[in-house]
Amino acid sequence: MMKSVIVLSLVMVFASSGLCTTHTIVSSGFTFSPDTLTVNIGDTVQFSIASIHDAVEVSQTTWNADDTTSNGGFRVPFGGGFAVLTAPGIHYYVCQAHVTSMGMKGTITVNAAPPPNTITIRSIADQDGNLLSVNDRMFKPWSLKLYQDSVASGIVVDSVSSGDSLNVINLNAGTYVALEADSLSWSHISVSVDGISQGAVTSRQWSLTVTSGESHVIDFINFSPNTIISVGLTFSPDSITVLPGDRIQFVLDPMHNAAEVSQATWLANDTLSNGGFRVPFGGGTAILTTPGTHYYVCQAHAAFGMKGRIFVLPESSNVAVSLSYLSGWNLISLPVRVSDNSVTALFPSAVSRAFAYQGSYTPLTTMADGYGYWLKFNDTQSVTLHGLSLLRDSLTAQQGWNLIGSVTVPFPAVNLSSQPPGIISSVLFGFNGSYYTADSVRPGLGYWLKTSQAGELYLNLIHGAGASTASRDEILQGAGKLVIRDGEGNSQTLFVGDQGAETPALRRIAELPPVPPPGVFDARFSSGFRLQEIGMAPNGVFPIQISSAVYPVTLTWNMRTLQKPVSLRLNGGETVLSGTGSVTTTQPIRSISLGRVSGSNTPQEYVLKPAFPDPFNPSTLIQYFLPVRSRVVLNVFNIIGQKITTLVNGIQDEGLQSVTWNAESFSSGIYIVEMTAVSAADGGRPFHRMIKVVLQR
């Protein structure tokens, strides 16, 4: 007998997948296997069953009663066949020959059809180019396209010209490439996918692969200096400062324009143009070359006070800039354009050549504006440089650390920018005896800045974005601090966290610039960082390197913010740093590190630890551990047994305790520190220990 296939439902191939799946049900004795099955709309169910069985859809009531009356749904004949189900929900079926006597039945659950695949592409103007701030963005009309497979395929699925959004629906499964048209006056700085930033991405293309029921939003984020947007019935910002020839970008709501007017018209909230620049409704660009104040209004809403001003600075002029430098090494730069750029002409009292940095230090006899240099003086200096003013400058940057210069007037660090955009990967570091985080670029000083790739760096007096320090305080706020100060007052603060891992944000503020030239004090973790997370320490320890220190060296710490104490290892000894404290050493530091506290530093009984440092001059730290709240007496005796001072006499809580003995008024020699402790609650047998310390002048 010929088998027939009965299909009672339409086969539905839906666009979101383009493919359907075949599922198989077999008979095993007097059961269906599997007897429960879940499929998608349009999937094929193949019944490979014995000739004594059929499969007929019934109602749930009939199925529960092991009855055989069909409900008019699918019907597979004896011996097997196919069914394609398009109605979502549970389909009940039975073998009519064996459901009553043997309970042979099953169910097929059909999932609802997934929504169609959708991709939305949007162009966004970022007002300051800082990806950390999102409240200064507005949609920007540009040409947008969606390609199938790749741009090279030339297959355009959909496109829009001069529109800020392209929404494409009912996409088959596959790979698509979103494309944003180029604009010479704008820099593409990032892509955001479904609200998640992909970081600094300069490409104007983004590829996505979709399968079934997916919806994605791709935002191309762009930046141009001097961007003015409309926010309600205001311009933002309503006042900006530019240089002659700068381009001003207006990104406006379609109901707003910008027309230049006279000062009198501007003050009267009137709309009569003075023949200056005019930006059409929806936005555009203006280029101003005449120095002075340019007034403009939205002609549709000037009566509501929607207006702004643009200040155009004058061209360069002859200026004199007074500078001050420290004794020793300084980071310097040229804040003016000079006719003679030799070091001897500019800084006749310098006692070194100017050292530039190109992966290593190179001595030079001349200097160029835009770049920074190391230069040494024998004493403090006051220098006046004469030349043409510099209001903006640029320099070629190498991948990694760069020494950059300054311009004639100070400007915020956030005004530093780059091409390609987004390659600045550190905060700005200055030098005043040690490295510090700089919030601004000051005339005549040099600075360190790191880039993730080669490109151009721009020193911009009035616009830019890149070297933001916004996250610095937030990251360092919860860190413990170790200040290393040498005998000449030079110091460097190292930070330590007790949780977390290295992230791009942490590396941005934690990595220090290259070690200064020989003879310049420097302290850092051996990794080159000033901040480390103890949880990431190899073998639990982060080594520290100290360069060109003048002794004595003082170590001061504040670890109150840490959840757990950390351990300071100095010249083979180990000291737990909890709370605050300091020690001074005259001995050369052969090895020093911070790390996790070793097991031996967490005792469960009374312990008097060795003094740190020892020998010492003039102070040393004495630490001891109390297993319970105790009455503690800590006395110091000289070598002939005379008590010379009492360091502690009172009740202290359990845990690690410490006291610093400053022996400034005592002579060199051997001293004995004696500790007596007993439980404050119930007395008992007292603990008694002594240690020897050496005061060495």
Side-chain angles (χ1 to χ4, degrees):
M1 179 178 68
M2 181 182 298
K3 295 182 180 180
S4 61
V5 178
I6 301 176
V7 180
L8 300 180
S9 303
L10 294 175
V11 177
M12 177 179 177
V13 179
F14 49 92
S16 60
S17 69
L19 297 173
C20 295
T21 302
T22 298
H23 306 268
T24 301
I25 297 175
V26 300
S27 59
S28 177
F30 294 99
T31 61
F32 292 106
S33 180
D35 58 1
T36 59
L37 181 67
T38 300
V39 302
N40 293 321
I41 288 180
D43 283 358
T44 298
V45 181
Q46 178 179 355
F47 286 84
S48 297
I49 53 180
S51 59
I52 60 174
H53 303 309
D54 69 347
V56 176
E57 186 174 354
V58 298
S59 68
Q60 182 179 6
T61 301
T62 300
W63 190 87
N64 288 333
D66 289 345
D67 207 342
T68 61
T69 303
S70 169
N71 70 346
F74 72 83
R75 184 183 186 93
V76 175
F78 286 90
F82 297 87
V84 179
L85 306 179
T86 60
I90 301 176
H91 296 255
Y92 301 87
Y93 67 93
V94 300
C95 172
Q96 289 180 304
H98 301 103
V99 66
T100 302
S101 59
M102 308 298 294
M104 187 174 180
K105 58 186 179 182
T107 62
I108 301 173
T109 300
V110 180
N111 290 328
N117 290 315
T118 302
I119 295 179
T120 299
I121 313 168
R122 301 187 297 190
S123 289
I124 295 178
D126 187 283
Q127 202 169 5
D128 64 1
N130 186 345
L131 294 176
L132 298 177
S133 58
V134 296
N135 295 324
D136 59 344
R137 297 178 180 177
M138 188 173 182
F139 291 123
K140 179 75 172 73
W142 265 324
S143 176
L144 301 168
K145 293 184 179 181
L146 184 67
Y147 286 84
Q148 185 175 330
D149 297 328
S150 68
V151 173
S153 73
I155 304 174
V156 178
V157 180
D158 205 347
S159 65
V160 61
S161 296
S162 299
D164 54 36
S165 181
L166 172 63
N167 186 43
V168 186
I169 61 174
N170 295 324
L171 293 170
N172 291 332
T175 299
Y176 298 89
V177 178
L179 176 69
E180 179 189 53
D182 193 13
S183 177
L184 295 178
S185 58
W186 289 79
S187 297
H188 180 67
I189 57 174
S190 182
V191 171
S192 175
V193 179
D194 300 332
I196 301 175
S197 175
Q198 307 302 303
V201 180
T202 59
S203 172
R204 297 178 182 274
Q205 303 178 19
W206 194 259
S207 176
L208 275 181
T209 299
V210 296
T211 54
S212 177
E214 297 182 31
S215 181
H216 298 287
V217 178
I218 303 172
D219 288 331
F220 291 105
I221 303 173
N222 305 272
F223 165 70
S224 180
N226 309 318
T227 297
I228 298 173
I229 67 175
S230 58
V231 180
L233 297 179
T234 63
F235 292 105
S236 176
D238 58 4
S239 295
I240 65 169
T241 302
V242 301
L243 296 172
D246 279 353
R247 182 187 301 270
I248 299 97
Q249 301 281 359
F250 286 86
V251 182
L252 307 176
D253 186 274
M255 66 179 181
H256 300 310
N257 76 332
E260 186 173 355
V261 298
S262 67
Q263 182 180 14
T265 300
W266 188 84
L267 291 172
N269 290 346
D270 208 341
T271 62
L272 181 64
S273 171
N274 69 346
F277 73 84
R278 183 183 181 89
V279 176
F281 286 89
T285 62
I287 298 177
L288 306 180
T289 58
T290 305
T293 304
H294 296 254
Y295 301 88
Y296 67 92
V297 299
C298 171
Q299 291 179 300
H301 301 99
F304 296 93
M306 188 173 182
K307 57 187 181 181
R309 291 175 296 180
I310 301 172
F311 303 99
V312 181
L313 295 176
E315 297 286 354
S316 296
S317 57
N318 287 307
V319 294
V321 180
S322 296
L323 310 171
S324 296
Y325 296 111
L326 301 173
S327 175
W329 287 97
N330 292 259
L331 278 180
I332 69 168
S333 64
L334 289 180
V336 294
R337 186 160 286 131
V338 295
S339 56
D340 186 350
N341 63 347
S342 66
V343 175
T344 53
L346 295 167
F347 304 100
S349 58
V351 294
S352 74
R353 286 180 288 178
F355 283 82
Y357 185 80
Q358 291 288 334
S360 61
Y361 292 119
T362 303
L364 301 174
T365 57
T366 59
M367 300 170 57
D369 53 73
Y371 294 89
Y373 302 88
W374 286 104
L375 194 64
K376 188 177 182 180
F377 301 96
N378 274 340
D379 49 28
T380 56
Q381 300 285 309
S382 293
V383 179
T384 300
L385 296 180
H386 298 268
L388 291 175
S389 61
L390 284 173
L391 298 181
R392 56 184 168 189
D393 211 339
S394 64
L395 67 150
T396 300
Q398 62 182 352
Q399 182 178 357
W401 287 102
N402 296 268
L403 268 177
I404 70 170
S406 61
V407 292
T408 304
V409 294
F411 64 88
V414 293
N415 282 12
L416 291 163
S417 60
S418 64
Q419 184 61 39
I423 65 174
I424 297 175
S425 58
S426 75
V427 293
L428 186 71
F429 283 98
F431 182 82
N432 58 3
S434 62
Y435 288 132
Y436 67 95
T437 304
D439 293 319
S440 62
V441 175
R442 303 191 63 80
L445 298 182
Y447 298 89
W448 286 104
L449 199 63
K450 190 175 185 181
T451 57
S452 59
Q453 67 180 73
E456 293 290 318
L457 289 174
Y458 300 105
L459 314 179
N460 298 314
L461 170 63
I462 49 181
H463 54 66
S468 172
T469 60
S471 62
R472 181 188 69 214
D473 293 337
E474 178 182 344
I475 294 177
L476 297 181
Q477 186 176 13
K481 300 175 181 63
L482 175 67
V483 181
I484 303 174
R485 185 182 304 274
D486 79 348
E488 291 188 343
N490 302 307
S491 67
Q492 182 70 57
T493 301
L494 303 184
F495 301 88
V496 58
D498 56 2
Q499 58 185 353
E502 182 183 321
T503 63
L506 184 147
R507 175 176 283 273
R508 182 181 178 89
I509 64 100
E511 186 178 4
L512 286 170
V515 175
V520 182
F521 169 81
D522 184 73
R524 63 183 61 210
F525 290 104
S526 296
S527 61
F529 282 27
R530 60 174 173 170
L531 180 146
Q532 296 280 199
E533 295 289 342
I534 289 299
M536 300 295 291
N539 303 318
V541 176
F542 279 116
I544 296 171
Q545 66 182 50
I546 301 175
S547 306
S548 304
V550 176
Y551 286 86
V553 170
T554 300
L555 308 173
T556 304
W557 60 87
N558 184 345
M559 301 294 172
R560 294 187 182 278
T561 58
L562 299 186
Q563 297 178 6
K564 297 180 180 179
V566 297
S567 174
L568 174 65
R569 295 166 172 86
L570 178 64
N571 291 344
E574 182 177 4
T575 299
V576 176
L577 306 185
S578 63
T580 60
S582 68
V583 295
T584 300
T585 179
T586 58
Q587 304 299 311
I589 295 178
R590 300 184 304 274
S591 64
I592 181 173
S593 63
L594 282 178
R596 295 192 291 268
V597 176
S598 63
S600 61
N601 277 294
T602 56
Q604 300 302 313
E605 57 187 19
Y606 287 106
V607 173
L608 176 60
K609 297 172 63 65
F612 167 79
D614 186 35
F616 68 97
N617 178 24
S619 62
T620 187
L621 180 74
I622 301 165
Q623 292 186 311
Y624 48 96
F625 186 85
L626 307 177
V628 295
R629 180 176 170 83
S630 304
R631 179 176 295 278
V632 181
V633 178
L634 210 64
N635 292 320
V636 181
F637 298 86
N638 61 21
I639 195 62
I640 62 175
Q642 296 173 319
K643 184 172 72 172
I644 61 171
T645 187
T646 297
L647 301 177
V648 177
N649 187 356
I651 295 177
Q652 294 183 317
D653 291 333
E654 66 179 281
L656 183 69
Q657 303 290 344
S658 64
V659 61
T660 298
W661 178 32
N662 189 331
E664 184 71 43
S665 59
F666 297 97
S667 58
S668 298
I670 299 174
Y671 295 86
I672 304 299
V673 179
E674 179 189 61
M675 173 184 171
T676 302
V678 65
S679 171
D682 53 15
R685 184 177 180 180
F687 169 81
H688 183 79
R689 288 290 187 276
M690 291 185 294
I691 59 173
K692 181 181 70 173
V693 296
V694 178
L695 174 58
Q696 189 176 76
R697 297 293 187 184

